[in-house]
């Protein structure tokens, strides 16, 4: 039978896609292991075998994988927002990456190639719409061609499907308005709405018996000093997770997938504060609807290894719009999607960190030019005209923004690969932190989930 999973009586929020007013059966207490219906439970205290903190795409994929592997255990997902996939998972470009850029042999490369295949397969199974519209990485200057060829070799080493180098005429055959000397053609690259994918993972999780607690902002994780109220199991659930309202759940193990707050959650539970998260805002422009015919698939620049980010690109969206960008500027708030959003805590956290200053000093001119472009549309349009000369300032609008959780070490290096971390002492052996899950984490989510489930099984002896 299912162990744990007991909650006190409470109202539950409607699940996405359910009929209005339908109540989850988790609203009434049921004995562990007997007929507990999946749903959004409210009003702890509850007991679970494993609590996953963070209902972004990585947290939901991981929770889904865990409950499918261990159906006799009780799992919860804890999310501070009222809705799922609200931050990085709902504010990204929606690209299904093929795995070209990443260092051969790295987790990023391996998980992206596996994850893209799993993502397409999952979308087919669930009827989630996607478009395999392809991607061109375009060299517009002679000195970019050697880097483009090196990228091609890297893609081959990573086993990326159907890659080929094409010349100027073939570029125009694929993208009639794009100019370039040579391009890397990746027809396997696609686009999808990742918020929809994340919601589907949540449905799978609940249908398998998992519980999702929304509006549950975790503020403390510690070893319980006594057993949960009315719990005859003693300290079977020795970890207490507390939220900002003082509500508690008790569990045996915790997995955190907290994105922009991964370092703070790690510190809360007594683990290392490094790598630190420094938030970078990326602002997108939009092509006006009557100009979207100029872009058919993804068009990317050849990345410059001297700079930490990929550069401006053209990204078609599932709704038919075309996003242009993003830039990359320091955000003064971890969830600050607007130019003037400011949090004193987040700002001080960033500017007092020596790693950030080392990064800034190494990339000073790049940083200044990014800030300049953020302020002046004409400067951004110049970047775009390198690829599509017909684009003018009159063809674009300011669009949405996202905030990237960039992990930095104390030497100012961007932490480029996935980082998993436990801790020391009693709590450390019961917690697994996903410290860094950068792009292409959405593409890789199902592959990352398998790795997290493997790691949890080994660490927690599930």
């Amino acid at each position: 039978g299912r162990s744990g999973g007991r909650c006190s009586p409470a109202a539950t929020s409607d699940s996405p896609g359910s009929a209005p007013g339908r109540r989850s059966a988790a609203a009434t207490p049921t004995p562990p292991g007997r007929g507990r219906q999946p749903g959004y439970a409210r009003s702890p205290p509850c007991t679970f075998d494993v609590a996953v903190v963070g209902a972004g795409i990585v947290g939901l994929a991981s929770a889904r994988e865990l409950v499918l592997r261990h159906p006799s255990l009780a799992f919860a997902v804890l999310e501070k927002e009222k809705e799922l996939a609200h931050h990085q998972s709902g504010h990204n470009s929606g690209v299904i990456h093929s795995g070209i850029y990443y260092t051969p042999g790295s987790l990023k490369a391996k998980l992206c190639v596996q994850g893209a295949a799993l993502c397409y397969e999952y979308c087919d199974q669930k009827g989630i719409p996607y478009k395999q519209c392809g991607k061109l990485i375009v060299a517009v200057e002679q000195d970019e061609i050697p880097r483009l060829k090196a990228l091609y070799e890297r893609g081959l080493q990573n086993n990326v499907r159907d890659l080929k180098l094409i010349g100027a005429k073939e570029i125009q055959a694929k993208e009639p308005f794009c100019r370039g000397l040579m391009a890397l053609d990746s027809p396997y690259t696609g686009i999808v709405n990742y918020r929809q994918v994340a919601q589907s993972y949540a449905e799978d999780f609940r249908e398998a018996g998992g519980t999702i607690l929304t509006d549950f902002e975790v503020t403390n994780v510690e070893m319980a000093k006594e057993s949960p109220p009315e719990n005859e199991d003693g300290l079977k659930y020795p970890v207490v997770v507390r939220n900002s309202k003082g509500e508690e759940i008790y569990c045996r193990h915790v997995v955190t997938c907290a994105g922009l707050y991964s370092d703070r959650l790690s510190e809360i539970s007594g683990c290392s504060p490094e790598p630190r998260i420094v938030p970078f805002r990326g602002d997108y422009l939009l092509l006006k609807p009557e100009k979207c015919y100029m872009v058919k698939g993804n068009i990317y620049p050849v990345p410059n290894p001297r700079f930490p980010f990929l550069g401006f690109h053209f990204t078609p969206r599932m709704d038919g719009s075309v996003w242009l960008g993003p830039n990359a500027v320091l955000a003064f708030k971890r969830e600050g999607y607007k130019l003037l959003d400011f949090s004193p805590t987040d700002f001080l956290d960033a500017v007092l960190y020596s790693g950030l200053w080392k990064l800034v000093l190494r990339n000073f001119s790049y940083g200044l030019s990014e800030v300049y472009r953020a302020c002046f549309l004409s400067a951004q349009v110049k970047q775009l005209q390198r690829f599509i000369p017909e684009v003018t300032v009159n063809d674009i609008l300011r669009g949405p923004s996202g905030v990237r959780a960039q992990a930095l070490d104390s030497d100012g290096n961007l932490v480029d690969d996935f980082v998993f971390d436990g801790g020391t002492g009693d709590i450390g052996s019961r917690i697994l932190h996903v410290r860094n899950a950068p792009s292409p984490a959405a593409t890789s989510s199902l592959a990352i989930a398998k790795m997290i489930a493997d790691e949890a099984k080994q660490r927690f002896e599930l």
Side-chain angles (χ1 to χ4, degrees), residues 107 254-257 262-276 417-424 427-437 451-452 455-456 459-460:
L107 276 178
V254 177
V255 177
T256 73
C257 301
S262 62
D263 55 343
R264 289 190 188 161
L265 261 184
S266 186
E267 269 193 284
I268 281 170
S269 64
C271 298
S272 167
E274 289 207 0
R276 288 280 284 279
D417 218 342
F418 298 98
V419 176
F420 300 97
D421 181 20
T424 54
I427 191 85
S429 63
R430 292 184 173 273
I431 203 158
L432 171 62
H433 294 293
V434 181
R435 297 298 300 269
N436 192 40
M451 189 170 68
I452 290 170
E455 189 81 12
R459 287 193 190 214
F460 303 156

Side-chain angles (χ1 to χ4, degrees), residues 289-337:
E290 63 270 23
K291 294 291 182 175
C292 288
Y293 66 85
M294 289 198 281
V295 177
K296 296 191 182 308
N298 294 281
I299 301 171
Y300 276 61
V302 179
N304 188 331
R306 291 188 299 124
F307 300 137
F309 299 111
L310 273 182
F312 256 58
H313 41 269
F314 298 75
T315 304
R317 303 277 294 174
M318 288 302 296
D319 63 5
S321 62
V322 175
W323 287 14
L324 316 168
N327 58 3
V329 293
L330 182 66
F332 298 137
K333 186 179 178 186
R334 291 202 180 194
E335 289 159 355
Y337 299 105

